[in-house]
Amino acid sequence: MNVTAPLAEHYAICAVTHLGEASENVVHVGSDAGELAVKVFAAADSETAGREAALLLALAPPDARYRVQTLVPTSGGELFAHTSDGAILVTRWHQAEKKAYTSIVEAEWRVLGSELAALHTRLDDFTGTLPRASEIVIDLDAERAAIEAARSRATAKDPARAPIFCRYLDARRSLLDARGARGLRAPTVPELPIHNDYNQHNYLFDGRLPPIILDWEGAIAAPREYEVVRCMNHLPLVAAAHASAFVSGYRSVRDLDPIGLRWAVDRSLLEHAVKSWPLERWLAGLPGAERALAGSMEVLQALHDGVAALERFFGVEAS
């Protein structure tokens, strides 16, 4: 991705050196303004760029309990720049690393929990418009049909692994049937701003805590309990001490509503049941899809087999 021209035009940043691509839409550059992360948005996603910029601005006042990227405004003072084919959003580059969830230690999980609660607290007063979790439409019958279609395609592509795919898709169908109606109920607790992708892929560790939290473009309004449950995934089942540290860290800053947790568990299980993109990417033969699918299958199977234990962990087993 060539971002030299828009940086010069909108940011008056010149002498740009391409240092690499951090992701599919983020370019790492060196410049006369220092090292930067340039996030590129297609024209259809310009509204998303504005949403992320507004959230970073709201989170910018210093708070030792959390860290996010530092927004770089345009030379005209705008939060992001509209370009001829979309938009770009520029932040300061951080020399740091991501860690697999298996490499994050208990003390770090505790800090990640308290950091999330601090972020939620700061965003209690955010006035921007965000999509609401309750407005996301899931057609249960269409999802059942999609699972069966995926079964035929996956087993045809790799017949030797047909039993593995069938077990995975059976688990998805079982969760869909068990949690579909419950997960579609409207929440009865407030829907407030959340990151909506608070996981290992968006934590940056640079030797001091808390880590830097990346990528606010997918933010929505939802019960805060939903983010806690969702970002844990299957951690309560495979590393209960780490999951407990996270929840304890969160509760050291703010409470979790039992009614919100009940809704969040049901909704999260439903969304795992309809999570089709890892298999679709694998069917399309895209780079990295095999690894992503393996991880998704591991999480899904653990959740399917451990529903009762997951509910006990969050204290909602009697509901």
Side-chain angles (χ1 to χ4, degrees), residues 57-82:
L57 179 65
L59 293 167
D63 189 323
R65 298 174 301 172
Y66 68 74
R67 287 195 291 162
V68 296
Q69 290 167 283
T70 301
L71 191 66
V72 177
T74 69
S75 54
E78 300 298 323
L79 300 183
F80 70 104
H82 289 283

Side-chain angles (χ1 to χ4, degrees), residues 148-159:
E148 295 313 309
R151 186 191 309 274
S152 299
R153 294 162 62 203
T155 54
K157 180 174 180 177
D158 192 345

Side-chain angles (χ1 to χ4, degrees), residues 292-312:
L293 177 59
S296 182
M297 291 171 72
E298 174 194 343
V299 171
L300 188 284
Q301 200 66 54
L303 290 171
H304 173 265
D305 296 344
V307 166
L310 186 74
E311 291 181 322
R312 284 194 298 274

